[in-house]
Amino acid sequence: MEIINSGKALSKLLQIQRNHQRSIGFVPTMGALHQGHFELVKKSKEYSDYTVVSIFVNPTQFNNPKDFQKYPKKLDEDLKLLHNYKVDAVFIPENKEIYPQSPQISLGFGNLENVLEGAFRQGHFNGVGIVVSKLLNLVKPHYVFFGRKDLQQVAIIKCLVNDLFFDTKIITVPTMREVDGLAMSSRNVRLEPDERRASKILYQSLVFAKNELKQGHDWFKIKTKVKEMFDHVPNAKLEYFEMVRESDFAILNDAEEDQDISICVAAFIGEVRLIDNISIFD
Ligand code: AMP
């Protein structure tokens, strides 16, 4: 497994792969890897001849400096596991490699960024768009892999790739969960034991709302019940609970439409902000 820190060295290595007609799969991550990340790696290995994983905690996508400082890191373990998964190359750039100067451009995503994560994390998707653009330009992958855990991010990346003609195919991977339903996330290790127990509420509320919708119940009544559920959990603070059309993240008030619809939730459990979502037609 090649471990590369410089963008130039990475581009050179990958050009050799392309010259040998090998297809390149790319999995961008922020490290502190868990099974969710490895599902992306497995998919990449299925689709491509050569798999590259990047580990870079991107400062420009953090709206909260404390969240950035406390973002979990375990590089040695990550590398061992990536080696076991037979990843071909890991790109671990320093900050100055990705940002030799602070970016002068900013990226807007219209209505997509005015709701949910975009509304609650000002500047987040600008940072995501910039770092993903830089990484796609360095790696030039045939396939790039993203988790449905970050569903709005998937919509943002689709917009980026379509609008800027990035020559890559986006593949999405279902959310991996712990036994009690909590979506795997690098941030979960920051939860204290009582918070870890409280964090089940995210998935529970999604499953509850989905079942209520299936029984034809009114969305506003469901939301009220969900708010009450959160109020009863110590340490839990609901930020949003919305039903959206997946393609453009339009907020919906009923589920009658014949489209891909998901329910998205964000909540603080203690100091840790978690997000999750569920498709209502699975
Ligand atoms: P991150 O390291 O959190 O930036 O995530 C890197 C990639 O892994 C993103 O495409 C995420 O959507 C994906 N991912 C994170 N958690 C999960 C999960 N539980 N299941 C599937 N994919 C995930």
Side-chain angles (χ1 to χ4, degrees), residues 59-170:
T60 64
Q61 73 187 68
F62 284 82
N63 55 316
N64 175 350
K66 210 170 176 186
D67 186 28
F68 178 58
Q69 278 159 20
K70 295 205 165 178
Y71 199 82
K73 290 176 191 65
K74 50 182 183 83
L75 189 56
D76 290 346
E77 198 183 322
D78 288 352
L79 290 176
K80 266 187 215 140
L81 291 165
L82 290 173
H83 178 79
N84 292 348
Y85 276 94
K86 300 194 166 42
V87 162
D88 298 287
V90 189
F91 180 46
I92 315 170
E94 294 276 337
N95 194 45
K96 63 178 185 311
E97 188 69 26
I98 298 294
Y99 296 111
Q101 74 261 334
S102 51
Q104 300 301 300
I105 61 156
S106 60
L107 295 171
F109 296 91
N111 288 334
L112 258 181
E113 67 167 354
N114 293 333
V115 294
L116 310 189
E117 290 304 282
F120 280 89
R121 299 185 69 188
Q122 286 294 317
H124 171 64
F125 287 130
N126 175 49
V128 169
I130 290 175
V131 79
V132 171
S133 301
K134 284 173 179 263
L135 292 170
L136 288 178
N137 278 328
L138 287 173
V139 179
K140 298 187 179 65
H142 298 83
Y143 305 100
V144 62
F145 298 83
F146 289 95
R148 282 181 59 90
K149 153 81 170 33
D150 300 281
L151 194 63
Q152 194 171 3
Q153 175 171 277
V154 170
I156 291 277
I157 304 294
K158 282 183 179 166
C159 172
L160 183 80
V161 164
N162 278 335
D163 279 1
L164 299 183
F165 296 163
F166 280 107
D167 189 10
T168 190
K169 192 165 167 16
I170 298 166

Side-chain angles (χ1 to χ4, degrees), residues 27-40 54-56 61 71 145-151 153-154 157 171 173-178 182-188 276:
V27 181
T29 83
M30 299 205 296
L33 303 178
H34 51 68
Q35 198 52 42
H37 295 113
F38 297 121
E39 292 303 303
L40 303 187
S54 65
I55 297 179
F56 179 61
Q61 73 187 68
Y71 199 82
F145 298 83
F146 289 95
R148 282 181 59 90
K149 153 81 170 33
D150 300 281
L151 194 63
Q153 175 171 277
V154 170
I157 304 294
I171 311 290
V173 177
T175 302
M176 285 296 290
R177 301 184 177 283
E178 303 289 353
L182 176 66
M184 291 183 179
S185 162
S186 304
R187 290 183 177 89
N188 291 353
D276 199 356

